[in-house]
Amino acid sequence: MDIDWESLGFTYMDTSSHLRYNCCNGAWDDGELHDEPYVNLHIGATALHYGQSAFEGLKAFSCQDGTVRIFRPQENARRMKDTASRIMIEPVPEAMFLDAIERVVRANIEYVPPYGTGGSLYIRPLLFGSSPRIGVCPAAEYSFIVFVIPVGDYYKGDLAPVSAIVMDEFDRSAPLGVGHVKVAGNYSPGLRPSMSANEQGFPIILYLDAAEHKYVDEFGTSNFIAITRDGTYVTPASQSILPSVTNKTLMALAEAEGIAVERRPVAFEEIAEFAEVAACGTAVVITPVNRIVRGDTTIEIGPREGCGPVLKRLYNKVRGIQVGELPDPDGWTHAV
Ligand code: PLP
Ligand code: COI
């Protein structure tokens, strides 16, 4: 194992093992660790044909006191249950989810980036229909896999701002569709637009509401957050965005600091009025967005370099709690 902890990006690498459970007739087994990163899957598995597949993303951190702590795993357990319910997957009980996360982190403890490197252990729970159906209906059997990867920044660098593009020719999710849950099928339709955005120099896409293209929904893999000129935290209310654990955390931290928080429809035109805008999520943490382009319109937001002051403060707070440098009064971190 020869890892340069300081220069990790967000890329796949093999670790010691992953954990795999199977569910047959509604009963989950006890799960087993596997060294080889492969599964033997039936060619008729519903996950492969009909996208009966869900995933989650959360992180574990090496802390100042030498412990390893997982950040808000109960939130991901609950969200995975909601996702499973929406696409008729046998749900993973919350206690089993939490135990699985802990087991896999313990089994790969040497892959948790050391304290002070800025890295973390990304945990990827994956849940899918594994038995065959050719008519469109739910599988009889399911697999629940949890694997881990040491990661650094998703985008280029620590709080370096990125430019976003609105592509009016693509939508992310329909108003009564599945944008509010973490199904695998929400991500492959984003591949073509994001490839095209990357080619034009935009690492991130901002999606608008599919019905009218009038309101901000979210970025492809993260929520939209903004700070108004009078210091209010604003984030879109929409039925087709993923309820982000990071956003929920930041809203709570903002409120604790006396910052007003508004969750409401955000018209695209309002972006020009914001003092700070960022993408937030487990993988991207807080990534400032200082330029948003839509056709001939370019909106510049906040400082040219780095992050605006309010989001920077919230970033420091959340990172501080995650790595045990700040108190955790709400018990968000879970020691392994
Ligand atoms: N929105 C989308 C579409 C996502 O894929 C993610 C990542 O999981 C998020 C938002 C952020 O959610 P969280 O903060 O729970 O990681
Ligand atoms: C996460 O932030 O955990 C995500 O799942 C985003 C991902 C699609 C890279």
Side-chain angles (χ1 to χ4, degrees), residues 200-248:
Q200 297 172 61
F202 299 94
I204 181 168
I205 296 180
L206 178 61
Y207 287 99
L208 305 181
D209 77 288
E212 296 184 89
H213 281 205
K214 190 169 169 200
Y215 297 98
V216 174
D217 258 354
E218 64 174 333
F219 299 103
T221 62
S222 47
N223 274 184
F224 176 101
I225 58 175
I227 305 296
T228 63
R229 291 196 184 136
D230 64 3
T232 300
Y233 183 110
V234 178
T235 193
S238 161
Q239 59 191 342
S240 48
I241 65 180
L242 193 74
S244 153
V245 180
T246 313
N247 199 355
K248 185 174 177 179

Side-chain angles (χ1 to χ4, degrees), residues 15-16 19 21 27 52 76 132 168 197 228 246 248 251 287 315 328:
T15 54
S16 292
L19 190 51
Y21 298 73
Q52 201 191 14
N76 300 87
D168 275 296
T228 63
T246 313
K248 185 174 177 179
M251 286 191 268
T287 298
Y315 174 87
D328 175 20

Side-chain angles (χ1 to χ4, degrees), residues 263-280:
R263 244 182 107 240
R264 58 166 170 82
V266 175
F268 177 77
E269 283 68 35
E270 196 181 344
I271 295 176
E273 306 299 317
F274 291 136
E276 304 176 35
V277 166
C280 81

Side-chain angles (χ1 to χ4, degrees), residues 56-167:
E56 269 301 329
L58 63 164
K59 281 176 172 172
F61 298 84
S62 290
C63 296
Q64 197 173 31
D65 64 0
T67 59
V68 168
R69 292 175 170 270
I70 304 164
F71 193 66
R72 305 195 77 173
Q74 291 90 348
E75 295 290 332
N76 300 87
R78 282 183 211 127
R79 191 169 64 190
M80 186 163 245
K81 238 176 14 203
D82 292 343
T83 307
S85 157
R86 177 63 183 81
I87 58 172
M88 298 297 293
I89 289 183
E90 189 66 37
V92 170
E94 197 171 313
M96 176 180 141
F97 183 99
L98 298 176
D99 185 54
I101 302 297
E102 210 173 313
R103 274 172 81 186
V104 78
V105 172
R106 272 185 209 283
N108 290 279
I109 204 83
E110 71 274 26
Y111 285 93
V112 187
Y115 172 73
T117 58
S120 56
L121 190 72
Y122 184 71
I123 305 164
R124 172 54 64 86
L126 178 65
L127 174 62
F128 57 90
S130 48
S131 63
R133 296 284 192 207
I134 200 64
V136 181
C137 67
E141 294 173 24
Y142 293 89
S143 294
F144 177 53
I145 290 174
V146 188
F147 65 85
V148 294
I149 314 162
V151 298
D153 292 327
Y154 192 84
Y155 297 114
K156 52 187 177 184
D158 202 23
L159 286 180
V162 297
S163 298
I165 185 169
V166 173
M167 303 181 99

